[in-house]
PDB file of all heavy atoms in Angstrom:
ATOM      1  N   HIS A  92     -83.095 -12.867  57.997  1.00 96.00           N
ATOM      2  CA  HIS A  92     -82.101 -11.873  57.574  1.00 96.00           C
ATOM      3  C   HIS A  92     -82.776 -10.641  57.007  1.00 96.00           C
ATOM      4  O   HIS A  92     -82.312  -9.517  57.220  1.00 96.00           O
ATOM      5  CB  HIS A  92     -81.166 -12.490  56.531  1.00 96.00           C
ATOM      6  CG  HIS A  92     -80.091 -11.551  56.069  1.00 96.00           C
ATOM      7  ND1 HIS A  92     -79.022 -11.192  56.877  1.00 96.00           N
ATOM      8  CD2 HIS A  92     -79.933 -10.880  54.898  1.00 96.00           C
ATOM      9  CE1 HIS A  92     -78.241 -10.355  56.211  1.00 96.00           C
ATOM     10  NE2 HIS A  92     -78.767 -10.147  55.015  1.00 96.00           N
ATOM     11  N   TRP A  93     -83.880 -10.823  56.274  1.00 97.00           N
ATOM     12  CA  TRP A  93     -84.562  -9.685  55.658  1.00 97.00           C
ATOM     13  C   TRP A  93     -85.676  -9.118  56.520  1.00 97.00           C
ATOM     14  O   TRP A  93     -86.003  -7.936  56.397  1.00 97.00           O
ATOM     15  CB  TRP A  93     -85.147 -10.097  54.300  1.00 97.00           C
ATOM     16  CG  TRP A  93     -84.139 -10.629  53.328  1.00 97.00           C
ATOM     17  CD1 TRP A  93     -84.165 -11.837  52.702  1.00 97.00           C
ATOM     18  CD2 TRP A  93     -82.938  -9.982  52.885  1.00 97.00           C
ATOM     19  NE1 TRP A  93     -83.065 -11.989  51.889  1.00 97.00           N
ATOM     20  CE2 TRP A  93     -82.287 -10.865  51.990  1.00 97.00           C
ATOM     21  CE3 TRP A  93     -82.346  -8.758  53.166  1.00 97.00           C
ATOM     22  CZ2 TRP A  93     -81.088 -10.557  51.369  1.00 97.00           C
ATOM     23  CZ3 TRP A  93     -81.139  -8.440  52.550  1.00 97.00           C
ATOM     24  CH2 TRP A  93     -80.525  -9.330  51.670  1.00 97.00           C
ATOM     25  N   ARG A  94     -86.277  -9.922  57.385  1.00 96.00           N
ATOM     26  CA  ARG A  94     -87.455  -9.461  58.134  1.00 96.00           C
ATOM     27  C   ARG A  94     -87.174  -8.194  58.937  1.00 96.00           C
ATOM     28  O   ARG A  94     -88.056  -7.353  59.097  1.00 96.00           O
ATOM     29  CB  ARG A  94     -87.953 -10.567  59.071  1.00 96.00           C
ATOM     30  CG  ARG A  94     -88.783 -11.636  58.372  1.00 96.00           C
ATOM     31  CD  ARG A  94     -89.725 -12.329  59.349  1.00 96.00           C
ATOM     32  NE  ARG A  94     -89.014 -12.931  60.464  1.00 96.00           N
ATOM     33  CZ  ARG A  94     -88.652 -14.205  60.532  1.00 96.00           C
ATOM     34  NH1 ARG A  94     -88.916 -15.018  59.510  1.00 96.00           N
ATOM     35  NH2 ARG A  94     -88.033 -14.677  61.589  1.00 96.00           N
ATOM     36  N   ARG A  95     -85.962  -8.047  59.454  1.00 96.00           N
ATOM     37  CA  ARG A  95     -85.650  -6.872  60.285  1.00 96.00           C
ATOM     38  C   ARG A  95     -85.703  -5.562  59.496  1.00 96.00           C
ATOM     39  O   ARG A  95     -85.730  -4.473  60.088  1.00 96.00           O
ATOM     40  CB  ARG A  95     -84.247  -7.035  60.889  1.00 96.00           C
ATOM     41  CG  ARG A  95     -83.166  -7.318  59.846  1.00 96.00           C
ATOM     42  CD  ARG A  95     -81.818  -7.535  60.475  1.00 96.00           C
ATOM     43  NE  ARG A  95     -80.925  -8.272  59.591  1.00 96.00           N
ATOM     44  CZ  ARG A  95     -79.622  -8.385  59.779  1.00 96.00           C
ATOM     45  NH1 ARG A  95     -79.045  -7.798  60.818  1.00 96.00           N
ATOM     46  NH2 ARG A  95     -78.891  -9.086  58.944  1.00 96.00           N
ATOM     47  N   TRP A  96     -85.696  -5.645  58.159  1.00 98.00           N
ATOM     48  CA  TRP A  96     -85.672  -4.444  57.322  1.00 98.00           C
ATOM     49  C   TRP A  96     -86.932  -4.276  56.479  1.00 98.00           C
ATOM     50  O   TRP A  96     -86.927  -3.539  55.500  1.00 98.00           O
ATOM     51  CB  TRP A  96     -84.443  -4.483  56.408  1.00 98.00           C
ATOM     52  CG  TRP A  96     -83.143  -4.423  57.149  1.00 98.00           C
ATOM     53  CD1 TRP A  96     -82.839  -3.619  58.223  1.00 98.00           C
ATOM     54  CD2 TRP A  96     -81.961  -5.186  56.892  1.00 98.00           C
ATOM     55  NE1 TRP A  96     -81.548  -3.836  58.645  1.00 98.00           N
ATOM     56  CE2 TRP A  96     -80.983  -4.790  57.843  1.00 98.00           C
ATOM     57  CE3 TRP A  96     -81.627  -6.155  55.947  1.00 98.00           C
ATOM     58  CZ2 TRP A  96     -79.711  -5.343  57.876  1.00 98.00           C
ATOM     59  CZ3 TRP A  96     -80.358  -6.700  55.963  1.00 98.00           C
ATOM     60  CH2 TRP A  96     -79.408  -6.291  56.923  1.00 98.00           C
ATOM     61  N   LEU A  97     -88.012  -4.925  56.862  1.00 98.00           N
ATOM     62  CA  LEU A  97     -89.229  -4.856  56.058  1.00 98.00           C
ATOM     63  C   LEU A  97     -90.182  -3.750  56.492  1.00 98.00           C
ATOM     64  O   LEU A  97     -91.168  -3.483  55.800  1.00 98.00           O
ATOM     65  CB  LEU A  97     -89.964  -6.203  56.084  1.00 98.00           C
ATOM     66  CG  LEU A  97     -89.232  -7.377  55.424  1.00 98.00           C
ATOM     67  CD1 LEU A  97     -90.062  -8.648  55.556  1.00 98.00           C
ATOM     68  CD2 LEU A  97     -88.921  -7.084  53.963  1.00 98.00           C
ATOM     69  N   GLY A  98     -89.905  -3.104  57.605  1.00 97.00           N
ATOM     70  CA  GLY A  98     -90.779  -2.034  58.074  1.00 97.00           C
ATOM     71  C   GLY A  98     -90.624  -0.767  57.245  1.00 97.00           C
ATOM     72  O   GLY A  98     -89.679  -0.616  56.465  1.00 97.00           O
ATOM     73  N   PRO A  99     -91.554   0.185  57.390  1.00 97.00           N
ATOM     74  CA  PRO A  99     -91.520   1.419  56.594  1.00 97.00           C
ATOM     75  C   PRO A  99     -90.206   2.192  56.687  1.00 97.00           C
ATOM     76  O   PRO A  99     -89.797   2.821  55.705  1.00 97.00           O
ATOM     77  CB  PRO A  99     -92.680   2.239  57.173  1.00 97.00           C
ATOM     78  CG  PRO A  99     -93.610   1.226  57.740  1.00 97.00           C
ATOM     79  CD  PRO A  99     -92.740   0.120  58.266  1.00 97.00           C
ATOM     80  N   ALA A 100     -89.538   2.148  57.827  1.00 97.00           N
ATOM     81  CA  ALA A 100     -88.292   2.904  57.984  1.00 97.00           C
ATOM     82  C   ALA A 100     -87.205   2.430  57.036  1.00 97.00           C
ATOM     83  O   ALA A 100     -86.245   3.172  56.766  1.00 97.00           O
ATOM     84  CB  ALA A 100     -87.797   2.803  59.430  1.00 97.00           C
ATOM     85  N   HIS A 101     -87.334   1.210  56.522  1.00 98.00           N
ATOM     86  CA  HIS A 101     -86.302   0.660  55.640  1.00 98.00           C
ATOM     87  C   HIS A 101     -86.813   0.413  54.224  1.00 98.00           C
ATOM     88  O   HIS A 101     -86.145  -0.276  53.456  1.00 98.00           O
ATOM     89  CB  HIS A 101     -85.758  -0.641  56.230  1.00 98.00           C
ATOM     90  CG  HIS A 101     -84.899  -0.434  57.430  1.00 98.00           C
ATOM     91  ND1 HIS A 101     -83.606   0.020  57.358  1.00 98.00           N
ATOM     92  CD2 HIS A 101     -85.163  -0.589  58.751  1.00 98.00           C
ATOM     93  CE1 HIS A 101     -83.095   0.113  58.567  1.00 98.00           C
ATOM     94  NE2 HIS A 101     -84.040  -0.238  59.437  1.00 98.00           N
ATOM     95  N   ARG A 102     -87.935   1.009  53.869  1.00 98.00           N
ATOM     96  CA  ARG A 102     -88.430   0.832  52.511  1.00 98.00           C
ATOM     97  C   ARG A 102     -88.125   2.055  51.653  1.00 98.00           C
ATOM     98  O   ARG A 102     -88.072   3.187  52.160  1.00 98.00           O
ATOM     99  CB  ARG A 102     -89.933   0.556  52.518  1.00 98.00           C
ATOM    100  CG  ARG A 102     -90.235  -0.828  53.032  1.00 98.00           C
ATOM    101  CD  ARG A 102     -91.649  -1.259  52.703  1.00 98.00           C
ATOM    102  NE  ARG A 102     -92.235  -1.843  53.915  1.00 98.00           N
ATOM    103  CZ  ARG A 102     -93.370  -1.466  54.459  1.00 98.00           C
ATOM    104  NH1 ARG A 102     -94.089  -0.498  53.906  1.00 98.00           N
ATOM    105  NH2 ARG A 102     -93.801  -2.041  55.559  1.00 98.00           N
ATOM    106  N   CYS A 103     -87.945   1.810  50.377  1.00 98.00           N
ATOM    107  CA  CYS A 103     -87.647   2.905  49.454  1.00 98.00           C
ATOM    108  C   CYS A 103     -88.258   2.619  48.093  1.00 98.00           C
ATOM    109  O   CYS A 103     -88.687   1.491  47.802  1.00 98.00           O
ATOM    110  CB  CYS A 103     -86.140   3.117  49.316  1.00 98.00           C
ATOM    111  SG  CYS A 103     -85.248   1.749  48.537  1.00 98.00           S
ATOM    112  N   LEU A 104     -88.313   3.640  47.282  1.00 98.00           N
ATOM    113  CA  LEU A 104     -88.697   3.527  45.880  1.00 98.00           C
ATOM    114  C   LEU A 104     -87.467   3.788  45.027  1.00 98.00           C
ATOM    115  O   LEU A 104     -86.721   4.733  45.291  1.00 98.00           O
ATOM    116  CB  LEU A 104     -89.795   4.534  45.538  1.00 98.00           C
ATOM    117  CG  LEU A 104     -91.128   4.363  46.266  1.00 98.00           C
ATOM    118  CD1 LEU A 104     -92.016   5.580  46.020  1.00 98.00           C
ATOM    119  CD2 LEU A 104     -91.838   3.089  45.815  1.00 98.00           C
ATOM    120  N   VAL A 105     -87.271   2.963  44.005  1.00 98.00           N
ATOM    121  CA  VAL A 105     -86.087   3.076  43.149  1.00 98.00           C
ATOM    122  C   VAL A 105     -86.554   3.411  41.737  1.00 98.00           C
ATOM    123  O   VAL A 105     -87.175   2.572  41.074  1.00 98.00           O
ATOM    124  CB  VAL A 105     -85.279   1.759  43.137  1.00 98.00           C
ATOM    125  CG1 VAL A 105     -84.005   1.923  42.321  1.00 98.00           C
ATOM    126  CG2 VAL A 105     -84.974   1.294  44.562  1.00 98.00           C
ATOM    127  N   PRO A 106     -86.317   4.629  41.255  1.00 98.00           N
ATOM    128  CA  PRO A 106     -86.823   5.001  39.934  1.00 98.00           C
ATOM    129  C   PRO A 106     -86.132   4.216  38.818  1.00 98.00           C
ATOM    130  O   PRO A 106     -84.941   3.931  38.883  1.00 98.00           O
ATOM    131  CB  PRO A 106     -86.496   6.491  39.842  1.00 98.00           C
ATOM    132  CG  PRO A 106     -85.367   6.706  40.796  1.00 98.00           C
ATOM    133  CD  PRO A 106     -85.587   5.734  41.904  1.00 98.00           C
ATOM    134  N   LEU A 107     -86.910   3.881  37.795  1.00 98.00           N
ATOM    135  CA  LEU A 107     -86.352   3.173  36.639  1.00 98.00           C
ATOM    136  C   LEU A 107     -87.092   3.558  35.382  1.00 98.00           C
ATOM    137  O   LEU A 107     -88.252   3.991  35.434  1.00 98.00           O
ATOM    138  CB  LEU A 107     -86.454   1.657  36.828  1.00 98.00           C
ATOM    139  CG  LEU A 107     -87.844   1.035  36.604  1.00 98.00           C
ATOM    140  CD1 LEU A 107     -87.726  -0.304  35.896  1.00 98.00           C
ATOM    141  CD2 LEU A 107     -88.608   0.886  37.909  1.00 98.00           C
ATOM    142  N   ASP A 108     -86.424   3.407  34.250  1.00 97.00           N
ATOM    143  CA  ASP A 108     -87.051   3.516  32.937  1.00 97.00           C
ATOM    144  C   ASP A 108     -87.229   2.135  32.327  1.00 97.00           C
ATOM    145  O   ASP A 108     -88.236   1.853  31.685  1.00 97.00           O
ATOM    146  CB  ASP A 108     -86.196   4.354  31.987  1.00 97.00           C
ATOM    147  CG  ASP A 108     -86.059   5.776  32.458  1.00 97.00           C
ATOM    148  OD1 ASP A 108     -87.062   6.361  32.870  1.00 97.00           O
ATOM    149  OD2 ASP A 108     -84.931   6.300  32.422  1.00 97.00           O
ATOM    150  N   ARG A 109     -86.223   1.273  32.508  1.00 97.00           N
ATOM    151  CA  ARG A 109     -86.264  -0.072  31.945  1.00 97.00           C
ATOM    152  C   ARG A 109     -85.295  -0.952  32.726  1.00 97.00           C
ATOM    153  O   ARG A 109     -84.423  -0.444  33.439  1.00 97.00           O
ATOM    154  CB  ARG A 109     -85.899  -0.069  30.456  1.00 97.00           C
ATOM    155  CG  ARG A 109     -84.535   0.530  30.151  1.00 97.00           C
ATOM    156  CD  ARG A 109     -84.244   0.514  28.669  1.00 97.00           C
ATOM    157  NE  ARG A 109     -82.832   0.824  28.419  1.00 97.00           N
ATOM    158  CZ  ARG A 109     -82.169   0.522  27.315  1.00 97.00           C
ATOM    159  NH1 ARG A 109     -82.814  -0.120  26.332  1.00 97.00           N
ATOM    160  NH2 ARG A 109     -80.896   0.822  27.160  1.00 97.00           N
ATOM    161  N   PHE A 110     -85.455  -2.264  32.604  1.00 97.00           N
ATOM    162  CA  PHE A 110     -84.559  -3.189  33.288  1.00 97.00           C
ATOM    163  C   PHE A 110     -84.203  -4.330  32.346  1.00 97.00           C
ATOM    164  O   PHE A 110     -84.933  -4.629  31.386  1.00 97.00           O
ATOM    165  CB  PHE A 110     -85.190  -3.723  34.583  1.00 97.00           C
ATOM    166  CG  PHE A 110     -86.395  -4.597  34.382  1.00 97.00           C
ATOM    167  CD1 PHE A 110     -86.281  -5.986  34.315  1.00 97.00           C
ATOM    168  CD2 PHE A 110     -87.666  -4.044  34.266  1.00 97.00           C
ATOM    169  CE1 PHE A 110     -87.399  -6.796  34.136  1.00 97.00           C
ATOM    170  CE2 PHE A 110     -88.798  -4.845  34.088  1.00 97.00           C
ATOM    171  CZ  PHE A 110     -88.659  -6.225  34.023  1.00 97.00           C
ATOM    172  N   ALA A 111     -83.067  -4.963  32.610  1.00 96.00           N
ATOM    173  CA  ALA A 111     -82.560  -6.010  31.730  1.00 96.00           C
ATOM    174  C   ALA A 111     -82.665  -7.373  32.389  1.00 96.00           C
ATOM    175  O   ALA A 111     -82.474  -7.507  33.597  1.00 96.00           O
ATOM    176  CB  ALA A 111     -81.095  -5.727  31.370  1.00 96.00           C
ATOM    177  N   GLU A 112     -82.980  -8.360  31.577  1.00 93.00           N
ATOM    178  CA  GLU A 112     -82.915  -9.759  31.992  1.00 93.00           C
ATOM    179  C   GLU A 112     -82.096 -10.513  30.938  1.00 93.00           C
ATOM    180  O   GLU A 112     -82.223 -10.237  29.744  1.00 93.00           O
ATOM    181  CB  GLU A 112     -84.305 -10.383  32.112  1.00 93.00           C
ATOM    182  CG  GLU A 112     -85.195  -9.766  33.172  1.00 93.00           C
ATOM    183  CD  GLU A 112     -84.785 -10.104  34.597  1.00 93.00           C
ATOM    184  OE1 GLU A 112     -83.742 -10.756  34.781  1.00 93.00           O
ATOM    185  OE2 GLU A 112     -85.515  -9.699  35.524  1.00 93.00           O
ATOM    186  N   PRO A 113     -81.252 -11.451  31.363  1.00 89.00           N
ATOM    187  CA  PRO A 113     -80.393 -12.147  30.399  1.00 89.00           C
ATOM    188  C   PRO A 113     -81.174 -13.124  29.533  1.00 89.00           C
ATOM    189  O   PRO A 113     -81.990 -13.905  30.030  1.00 89.00           O
ATOM    190  CB  PRO A 113     -79.393 -12.883  31.302  1.00 89.00           C
ATOM    191  CG  PRO A 113     -80.137 -13.097  32.589  1.00 89.00           C
ATOM    192  CD  PRO A 113     -81.025 -11.904  32.751  1.00 89.00           C
TER     193      PRO A 113
END
Side-chain angles (χ1 to χ4, degrees):
H92 182 72
W93 302 124
R94 280 205 303 264
R95 54 183 159 167
W96 295 318
L97 294 179
H101 288 284
R102 288 195 226 126
C103 66
L104 297 169
V105 184
L107 77 141
D108 296 316
R109 57 181 192 159
F110 66 94
E112 296 288 5

